[in-house]
Amino acid sequence: MADKIIRVLLVDDHQVVRRGLRTFLEIQDDIEVVGEAADGAEGVARSEELHPDVVLMDIKMPGTDGIEALRKLRELENPAKVLIVTSFTEQRTVVPALRAGASGYVYKDVDPDALAGAIRSVYAGHVLLQPEVAGALLAQEDAGGCTGRGSTLTDREREVLGLIADGRSNREIARALVLSEKTVKTHVSNILMKLDLSDRTQAALWAVRHGVAG
């Protein structure tokens, strides 16, 4: 993955923010900014058009906001990883974005090197969370009663779940367990159904919280 150029789309309603992010990223040898969008709806359309690897998405935008755009991308089964870039620190703002399918978030005043590192991290399949937000998500999951549902997982499903928590893609999991990608997809669907979770981010958090991660 080190030799791969990571294609990035910038989605923010402030042109000065987009310009600043682009300036940060253009000095990185392995990151290319392939496009920009000024709101969530345009971000979804551009993502479908440009096929970026990572979308840097603002939350608060006029019209279609970042959370609604995330939901739309998930409905479209767009494979781009979404990294929230926000000035909002409240859990009530960030947690819904993560539940909508974001792979993590950073603040708009992030150091350039840290931003590049965050992009590489979510591109590699990792979940990027601040401890307080991870705690809020886990508390909500525990309140929902999903802890006991872990006992319904088969040994193979627990293996797959551990690899999800390690940031592995379905292809990488298939290779590691000598399975077909179709079989891995079935296991992932079963895991989400049994744990009453909606996406891989929640599954990874659940695995870390309950000692399934490697």
Side-chain angles (χ1 to χ4, degrees):
M1 222 176 252
D3 296 328
K4 173 76 165 62
I5 300 297
I6 304 172
R7 295 166 52 82
V8 173
L9 174 67
L10 308 178
V11 183
D12 194 291
D13 59 315
H14 293 101
Q15 185 178 8
V16 67
V17 173
R18 299 198 307 271
R19 185 181 300 130
L21 291 172
R22 181 182 283 273
T23 299
F24 286 170
L25 298 176
E26 284 180 341
I27 64 173
Q28 306 298 323
D29 293 336
D30 59 340
I31 296 173
E32 176 188 4
V33 177
V34 296
E36 300 180 15
D39 60 44
E42 185 183 4
V44 172
R46 295 286 280 167
S47 187
E48 289 289 284
E49 172 192 353
L50 298 172
H51 309 290
D53 299 306
V54 177
V55 178
L56 298 191
M57 181 86 72
D58 189 16
I59 292 180
K60 296 293 185 180
M61 293 181 286
T64 302
D65 65 14
I67 294 174
E68 185 59 33
L70 276 160
R71 290 176 179 145
K72 184 62 176 177
L73 287 173
R74 188 164 64 178
E75 288 173 7
L76 293 170
E77 298 184 352
N78 189 294
K81 305 292 175 60
V82 177
L83 179 63
I84 294 295
V85 183
T86 182
S87 56
F88 293 89
T89 61
E90 299 94 339
Q91 292 178 8
R92 63 184 177 84
T93 301
V94 177
V95 168
L98 295 169
R99 289 204 174 280
S103 295
Y105 74 97
V106 294
Y107 298 126
K108 287 186 176 179
D109 61 354
V110 65
D111 177 86
D113 290 336
L115 176 62
I119 291 170
R120 296 183 186 108
S121 181
V122 298
Y123 172 68
H126 300 295
V127 178
L128 191 69
L129 301 178
Q130 296 294 329
E132 66 272 16
V133 173
L137 280 168
L138 292 169
Q140 290 178 20
E141 288 169 9
D142 286 345
C146 70
T147 302
R149 298 190 180 105
S151 62
T152 65
L153 297 177
T154 66
D155 289 342
R156 178 63 86 187
E157 287 165 354
R158 291 180 73 84
E159 283 184 294
V160 171
L161 180 56
L163 291 171
I164 290 174
D166 288 340
R168 306 288 189 91
S169 66
N170 284 352
R171 178 175 297 180
E172 291 168 333
I173 293 172
R175 189 179 302 120
L177 298 180
V178 196
L179 300 171
S180 69
E181 283 191 61
K182 183 177 180 181
T183 298
V184 171
K185 288 180 182 178
T186 299
H187 284 314
V188 172
S189 296
N190 288 340
I191 289 165
L192 296 179
M193 178 185 67
K194 288 181 178 181
L195 297 181
D196 194 24
L197 304 174
S198 61
D199 56 46
R200 295 170 77 98
T201 299
Q202 292 182 29
L205 285 167
W206 192 98
V208 171
R209 175 67 175 81
H210 298 289
V212 178

